[in-house]
């Protein structure tokens, strides 16, 4: 702190140096081992001359006066430090309030964007299937038209439900595990606590295979899913979870597109090793390292 930096440390060091010199002189003149042996009887002995005693006393008085002044200044310094701490705390509280408000605004914007995206997706799916049905209705029977509409609605609903899901890879699997608790512990490492419904997906490995199955996890909302995905990369720094990965619950079409992007990323990285490559907004980008 600034107040502590401005304290007269040089004077304090000077007083300490004078004290050490005075003690060394006394120890030498009175022929004792250390300052702990400087007792009243030693000062009353014939070893101590009156002139030397007067000099030591004068020196001690001067040092006491300087120390008293330094103590007074240090007390003022401490008071200034306390005042600075109060001001800093007030600034911290103000900053935290602004941060919370900013997070709240961001979540509101995100919620609006997600709701708009889901609504547009549903409308797009229904419109697409409606056009297909309209084009084929002349050649299809009533039952076939009805079945086509059902598939369109089902696809839109599944897309909405999938936005509330996460897929977790690399989470250790054990017999009679409490998977909800295990996932909750994982999320706690990311500083998140939310309602969870989790289950393993895929065929259970045989006794000789140590592979752990992915975990499908349904959360309270798509907003919570988005928060988890933003923090997922922090797991690389957490002991016991460094090989765990969290991904969105993608549709078969999305998974195929993702695999193609990953392949494109690997090819670009091998071709241009001097660049840093990454996937963003469904495309492979690169920038100088």
């Amino acid at each position: 702190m600034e107040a502590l930096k401005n304290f007269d440390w040089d004077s304090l060091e000077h007083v300490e140096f004078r004290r050490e010199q005075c003690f060394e002189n006394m120890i030498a003149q009175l022929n004792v081992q250390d300052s702990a042996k400087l007792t009243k009887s030693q000062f009353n002995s014939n070893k101590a001359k009156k002139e030397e005693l007067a000099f030591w006393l004068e020196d001690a008085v001067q040092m006491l006066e300087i120390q008293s002044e330094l103590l007074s200044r240090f007390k003022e310094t401490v008071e200034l430090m306390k005042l600075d701490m109060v001001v800093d705390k007030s600034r911290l509280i103000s900053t935290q309030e602004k941060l919370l408000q900013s997070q709240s605004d961001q979540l509101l914007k995100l919620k609006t964007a997600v709701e708009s995206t889901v609504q547009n997706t549903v409308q797009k799916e229904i419109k697409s299937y409606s056009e297909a049905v309209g084009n084929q209705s002349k050649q299809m029977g009533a039952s076939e038209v009805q079945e086509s509409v059902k598939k369109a609605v089902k696809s839109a609903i599944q897309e909405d439900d999938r936005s509330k899901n996460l897929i977790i890879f690399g989470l250790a699997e054990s017999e009679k595990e409490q998977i909800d608790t295990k996932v909750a512990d994982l999320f706690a490492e990311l500083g998140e606590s939310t309602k969870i419904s989790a289950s393993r997906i895929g065929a259970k490995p045989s006794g000789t295979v140590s592979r752990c199955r992915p975990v499908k996890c349904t959360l309270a909302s798509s907003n919570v899913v988005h928060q988890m995905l933003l923090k997922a990369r922090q797991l690389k720094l957490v002991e016991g979870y460094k090989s765990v990965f969290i991904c969105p619950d993608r549709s078969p079409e999305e998974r195929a597109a993702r695999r193609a992007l990953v392949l494109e990323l690997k090819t670009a990285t091998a071709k241009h090793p001097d660049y840093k490559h990454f996937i963003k907004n469904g495309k492979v980008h690169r920038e100088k390292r």
Side-chain angles (χ1 to χ4, degrees), residues 118-221:
V118 171
Q119 184 177 5
N120 291 339
T121 300
V122 172
Q123 291 176 349
K124 184 179 178 180
E125 289 285 344
I126 292 178
K127 181 179 178 181
S128 176
Y129 276 93
S130 296
E131 291 175 351
V133 169
N135 294 332
Q136 298 177 12
S137 59
K138 297 177 181 180
Q139 304 174 4
M140 297 169 61
S143 61
E144 292 175 311
V145 172
Q146 186 177 9
E147 185 65 25
S148 179
V149 172
K150 285 182 179 180
K151 288 181 179 178
V153 174
K154 183 178 179 181
S155 176
I157 293 174
Q158 287 177 343
E159 185 68 28
D160 184 32
D161 289 342
R162 194 178 290 113
S163 69
K164 300 177 184 178
N165 296 339
L166 288 173
I167 305 297
I168 304 173
F169 296 91
L171 189 62
E173 184 173 357
S174 59
E175 291 291 334
K176 299 180 180 179
E177 64 181 359
Q178 297 293 326
I179 191 61
D180 285 355
T181 302
K182 188 173 287 189
V183 173
D185 293 341
L186 169 64
F187 288 167
E189 293 290 345
L190 299 176
E192 295 289 342
S193 176
T194 184
K195 185 179 178 181
I196 300 167
S197 176
S199 60
R200 297 279 181 181
I201 55 177
K204 190 173 183 180
S206 62
T208 59
V209 179
S210 60
R211 178 180 62 86
C212 52
R213 292 175 294 167
V215 177
K216 182 178 180 180
C217 183
T218 301
L219 305 183
S221 68

Side-chain angles (χ1 to χ4, degrees), residues 5-22:
K5 291 180 181 178
N6 293 333
F7 183 71
D8 190 2
W9 296 104
D10 291 338
S11 294
L12 182 60
E13 290 179 1
H14 177 67
V15 171
E16 291 177 347
F17 178 73
R18 284 185 61 181
R19 184 194 63 193
E20 292 299 324
Q21 278 192 324
C22 185

